[in-house]
């Protein structure tokens, strides 16, 4: 599963005014992979994605998309190059209908017939959206809005998709549903995925490779399998889960950590 | 049911003078209200897309009117009326676009009040320029159909007033189609509903915002042409932008139809207030309505308050 590198990030630094939020991050994503970036709230995950998708400009460092430097470019140029960012917190267009939101996803595309086909593909992955094409997006439930945000992102026909905490605030059942779709998108459509999560358990389940971020730095990087079995990860990110078969051990670890 | 206080010769539908007066007052109020509504539309358009309030919107209207007068009136350049209107609309559109691109974009990150002061200052500059170029006497636009009357069964309407109403509704229809059907219009909606998400979808938000300013300038120019077609305009007329601002607040300051309806409400109330209230009181009627709306429906009559689902 290791194709050529699609996204290469080297020594990236990003600021909010005087606050340094990303402190020299390097990472690599290969074609067809699902790479997850884990980290607690405030670690800098969202800032990292915003810098990659061009909404923020890095102070230092390089970002290569298919070998081409994209740091400092406008976000619309980057979307047109095949990388789309599905933001955290379901940033949909609340007063537009579901269908109009979906159509906005294809804003940078001109190939009308292919856009039509992709609309049907999106409604295929999310039948719930298809049933609600005319409904105002702001009236959808949280889970439906998250699906809309992902479906809208798909309409850009991305080769690589940046997903920011798709599980945030959703019930475990909905999280399972959305992650199953993410995996299918990766397998069936060949979309390379960068998945930012606080929910390490579900993220490591679908990911091939993972990075762990703390206060703006990458502190750990390994295959998802290794990370899942690493003592530190289990203690700090998986420890609070109690309902798996290995629950007993995790439970104990959570206690020693406290 | 029918009041026949004066002559009832049977040729006219039998309307009493009272009703005729009321109708005539309503029509001229409606025409005024359309102009207020179009200026209010400009306020809301720009506010929704850029979160800035253009307090020079009324002066944009005045300036657009004077450019048209200067181009079209026989004692100035005297070119074809429709060509003059098109040029004025284009010039005001460019003014809006360049203002955003050259000045406002650089003010990004400054407090909101800085933009407010800037647009107020811009209003002063436009008033000063118009006075310096075209003097302070009131002038009317030489409207090709001026002075013609339309008789609708006893009701005599100035063609100017009817034109103002028709053009306003046609323009609103066009804007509706533009926002709901065109790619650019959808992008403007997207940028005003969720700027960040619009960025993520590849909408060039900054350019879109400049284009919204251009649209605001163009709508103001049309409002100016309508205003100067049905009456005289002088450089300080732009101050009626304050009234249009009240109209926008009445409409909810976030809803385009609300802005138009707010303008029409003010336009309709004004002549009746002047008719029924002692002189001096009628001028405050628009602001009184605004206060009442703010007290009883703080988000305006047509607010689209959106709660974000968590
Ligand atoms: N708009 C902002 N202005 C200033 N600081 C911010 C802003 N957004 C985030 N930060 C700070 O940057 C750091 C990283 O935040 P973020 O990237 O949102 O983390 P995460 O997505 O991992 O929760 C945090 O310390 C946060 O307080
Ligand atoms: Mg975040």
């Amino acid at each position: 599963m290791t194709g050529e590198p699609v996204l290469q990030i080297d020594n990236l630094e990003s600021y909010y005014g005087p606050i340094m939020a990303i402190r020299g991050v390097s990472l690599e994503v290969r074609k067809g992979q699902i790479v997850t970036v884990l980290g607690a709230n405030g670690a800098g995950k969202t800032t990292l994605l915003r810098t990659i998708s061009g909404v923020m400009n890095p102070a230092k460092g390089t970002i290569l998309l298919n070998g081409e430097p994209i740091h400092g470019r406008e976000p619309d140029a980057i979307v047109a190059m095949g990388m789309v960012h599905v933001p955290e917190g379901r940033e949909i267009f609340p007063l537009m209908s579901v269908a109009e939101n979906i159509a906005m996803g294809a804003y940078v595309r001109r190939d009308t017939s292919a856009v039509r086909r992709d609309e049907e593909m999106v409604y295929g992955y999310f039948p719930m959206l298809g049933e609600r094409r005319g409904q105002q997006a702001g009236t959808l439930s949280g889970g439906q809005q998250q699906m809309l945000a992902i479906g809208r992102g798909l309409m850009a026909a991305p080769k690589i998709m940046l997903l920011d905490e798709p599980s945030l605030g959703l019930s475990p059942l909905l999280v399972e549903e959305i992650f199953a779709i993410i995996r299918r998108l990766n397998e069936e459509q060949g979309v390379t995925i960068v998945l930012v999560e606080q929910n390490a358990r579900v993220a490591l389940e679908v990911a091939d490779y993972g990075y762990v971020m703390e206060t703006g730095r990458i502190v750990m990087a390994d295959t998802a399998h290794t990370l899942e079995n690493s003592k530190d990860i289990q203690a700090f990110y998986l420890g609070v889960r109690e309902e798996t078969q290995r629950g007993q051990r995790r439970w104990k670890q959570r206690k020693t950590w406290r | 049911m029918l009041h026949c206080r004066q002559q009832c010769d049977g040729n006219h539908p039998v309307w009493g003078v009272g009703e005729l007066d009321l109708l005539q007052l309503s029509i001229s109020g409606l025409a005024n209200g359309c102009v207020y509504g179009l200026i209010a539309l400009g306020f809301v358009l720009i506010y929704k897309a850029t979160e800035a309030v253009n307090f020079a919107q009324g002066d944009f209207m005045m300036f657009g009117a004077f450019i048209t007068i200067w181009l079209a009136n026989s004692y100035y350049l005297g070119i074809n009326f429709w060509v003059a209107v098109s040029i004025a609309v284009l010039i005001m559109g460019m003014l809006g676009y360049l203002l955003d691109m050259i000045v406002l974009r650089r003010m990004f990150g400054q407090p909101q009040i800085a933009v407010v002061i800037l647009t107020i200052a811009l209003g002063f500059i436009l008033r000063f320029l118009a006075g310096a170029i075209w003097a302070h006497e009131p002038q009317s636009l030489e409207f090709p159909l001026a002075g013609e009357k339309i008789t609708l069964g006893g009701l005599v309407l100035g063609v100017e007033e009817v034109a103002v109403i028709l053009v306003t509704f046609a323009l609103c229809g066009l804007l509706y189609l533009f926002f709901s059907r065109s790619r650019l219009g959808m992008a403007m909606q997207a940028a005003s509903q969720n700027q960040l998400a619009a960025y993520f979808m590849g909408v060039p938000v900054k350019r879109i915002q400049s284009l919204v300013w251009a649209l605001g300038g163009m709508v103001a120019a049309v409002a100016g042409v309508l205003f100067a077609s049905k009456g005289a305009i002088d450089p300080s007329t732009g101050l009626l932008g304050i009234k249009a601002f009240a109209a926008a607040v009445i409409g909810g300051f976030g809803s385009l139809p609300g802005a138009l309806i707010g303008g029409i409400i003010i336009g309709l109330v004004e002549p009746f207030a002047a008719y029924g209230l002692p002189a001096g009181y009628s001028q405050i009627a628009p602001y009184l309505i605004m206060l009442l709306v703010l007290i009883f429906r703080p988000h305006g009559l047509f607010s689209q308050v959106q709660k974000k689902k968590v």
Side-chain angles (χ1 to χ4, degrees):
Chain A
M1 264 285 279
T2 43
E4 67 268 29
V6 187
L7 185 65
Q8 293 158 285
I9 293 169
D10 191 44
N11 207 19
L12 204 63
E13 289 182 9
S14 261
Y15 290 80
Y16 290 105
I19 303 164
M20 190 179 192
I22 301 292
R23 304 162 176 257
V25 166
S26 303
L27 59 81
E28 187 179 83
V29 179
R30 291 175 175 275
K31 194 171 176 189
Q33 270 186 326
I34 299 182
V35 169
T36 182
V37 178
L38 305 173
N41 199 12
K45 307 179 299 295
T46 296
T47 310
L48 175 65
L49 290 195
R50 284 185 180 164
T51 311
I52 297 172
S53 62
V55 175
M56 287 174 69
N57 285 334
K60 250 195 208 160
T62 56
I63 307 170
L64 303 183
L65 180 61
N66 297 314
E68 212 180 312
I70 58 165
H71 41 276
R73 287 217 198 165
E74 288 295 316
D76 50 307
I78 295 174
V79 175
M81 288 172 74
M83 179 158 69
V84 79
H85 179 165
V86 178
E88 91 186 308
R90 311 142 207 156
E91 301 279 353
I92 46 134
F93 301 115
L95 301 176
M96 290 186 184
S97 68
V98 167
E100 286 169 334
N101 267 273
I102 293 290
M104 277 311 297
Y107 184 77
V108 296
R109 295 171 65 189
R110 299 285 188 171
D111 43 346
T112 329
S113 57
V115 168
R116 283 281 136 67
R117 261 202 323 278
D118 286 352
E119 265 171 19
E120 290 317 309
M121 174 198 73
V122 167
Y123 292 133
Y125 278 100
F126 302 100
M128 175 280 306
L129 293 180
E131 292 156 16
R132 289 173 173 74
R133 285 175 213 219
Q135 190 175 330
Q136 203 179 39
T139 65
L140 296 175
S141 72
Q144 292 167 340
Q145 291 191 2
Q146 184 61 63
M147 294 186 192
L148 179 58
I150 297 174
R152 185 185 60 185
L154 273 178
M155 288 304 295
K159 293 183 189 65
I160 174 165
M161 209 172 194
L162 312 175
L163 289 170
D164 196 351
E165 302 211 34
S167 78
L168 195 71
L170 301 186
S171 70
L173 212 67
L174 266 173
V175 172
E176 287 302 327
E177 194 179 332
I178 284 177
F179 274 66
I181 292 171
I182 292 172
R183 198 197 306 247
R184 274 179 63 204
L185 288 173
N186 173 252
E187 282 166 7
E188 297 167 9
Q189 307 295 326
V191 185
T192 305
I193 286 169
V194 178
L195 175 64
V196 155
E197 267 299 341
Q198 284 188 59
N199 187 339
R201 188 184 58 88
V202 280
L204 287 173
E205 239 166 57
V206 297
D208 302 300
Y209 201 85
Y211 293 86
V212 180
M213 252 184 118
E214 259 168 37
T215 56
R217 287 197 183 81
I218 301 283
V219 292
M220 210 186 288
D222 218 318
T223 61
H225 183 75
T226 315
L227 286 180
E228 236 177 335
N229 294 311
S230 125
K231 288 268 183 287
D232 284 338
I233 295 291
Q234 285 181 353
F236 289 98
Y237 295 100
L238 302 172
V240 279
R241 306 296 313 180
E242 62 254 58
E243 88 269 4
T244 54
Q245 317 96 298
R246 291 165 293 173
Q248 198 87 22
R249 213 172 75 213
R250 288 181 183 170
W251 193 242
K252 263 190 228 146
Q253 285 200 343
R254 188 186 75 136
K255 283 189 167 165
T256 50
W257 167 46
R258 280 198 172 167
Chain B
M1 225 174 90
L2 298 177
H3 304 274
C4 243
R5 274 177 240 145
Q6 290 183 347
Q7 76 275 54
C8 283
D9 54 14
N11 292 335
H12 292 285
V14 245
W15 271 342
V17 175
E19 284 85 356
L20 264 184
D21 278 357
L22 280 183
L23 255 173
Q24 228 131 21
L25 270 182
S26 310
I27 301 275
S28 77
L30 182 59
N32 281 333
C34 283
V35 174
Y36 302 150
L38 286 181
I39 302 172
L41 209 68
F43 274 120
V44 174
L45 211 59
I46 290 172
Y47 175 73
K48 278 183 75 168
T50 69
E51 278 164 24
V53 177
N54 177 21
F55 279 102
Q57 195 67 22
D59 304 288
F60 273 38
M61 184 280 292
M62 175 277 298
F63 210 75
F66 268 106
I67 293 174
T68 319
I69 288 173
W70 176 67
L71 290 167
N73 278 15
S74 49
Y75 51 89
Y76 287 122
L77 299 186
I79 69 170
N80 176 284
F81 177 82
W82 302 106
V83 177
V85 170
S86 315
I87 294 174
V89 167
L90 277 180
I91 290 178
M92 292 312 293
M94 280 184 28
L95 185 70
Y97 188 93
L98 293 177
L99 175 70
D100 183 62
M101 194 182 85
I102 297 170
V103 185
L104 296 174
R105 208 177 284 176
R106 272 160 228 251
M107 292 177 69
F108 184 78
Q110 304 267 352
Q112 285 284 318
I113 191 75
V115 178
V116 169
I117 305 248
L118 184 109
T119 61
I120 291 176
L122 181 73
F124 274 105
I125 294 172
L126 289 176
R127 253 169 277 152
F128 168 80
L129 276 180
I133 303 172
W134 298 295
H136 290 274
E137 285 77 51
Q139 305 182 41
S140 310
L141 178 59
E142 290 170 5
F143 184 56
L145 305 170
E148 309 232 355
K149 297 283 176 219
I150 298 173
T151 357
L152 264 178
L155 189 65
V156 184
L157 301 173
V159 77
E160 297 91 343
E161 286 178 346
V162 176
V164 167
I165 296 166
L166 291 181
V167 169
T168 301
F169 282 92
L171 181 63
C172 291
L174 269 179
L175 283 173
Y176 174 79
L177 286 180
F178 170 73
F179 281 118
S180 58
R181 298 287 155 80
S182 77
R183 188 176 128 91
L184 180 59
M186 288 298 283
M188 285 181 179
Q189 273 201 58
S192 60
Q193 287 179 26
N194 191 335
Q195 191 172 326
L196 193 64
Y199 262 121
F200 289 134
M201 294 305 106
V203 174
V205 173
K206 287 176 195 149
R207 182 142 35 94
I208 295 288
Q209 289 185 337
S210 298
L211 287 170
V212 170
W213 273 89
L215 192 59
M218 290 163 83
V219 171
V222 173
V225 167
L226 297 181
F227 189 94
S229 295
K230 70 179 179 56
I233 193 166
D234 69 81
S236 65
T237 304
L239 291 172
L240 67 75
I242 305 292
K243 230 183 274 176
F245 183 80
V249 173
I250 290 171
F253 226 97
S255 149
L256 294 179
L260 183 71
I261 293 169
I264 289 175
I265 289 175
I266 286 185
L268 283 176
V269 163
E270 255 181 347
F272 290 105
Y275 201 68
L277 293 176
Y281 285 90
S282 62
Q283 277 97 321
I284 62 164
Y287 310 108
L288 210 61
I289 299 175
M290 179 177 89
L291 279 177
L292 287 177
V293 167
L294 283 179
I295 291 167
F296 292 107
R297 260 191 83 98
H299 295 291
L301 296 180
F302 300 88
S303 57
Q304 301 166 306
V305 185
Q306 356 161 337
K307 278 164 256 141
K308 203 169 155 181
K309 290 241 166 95
V310 181

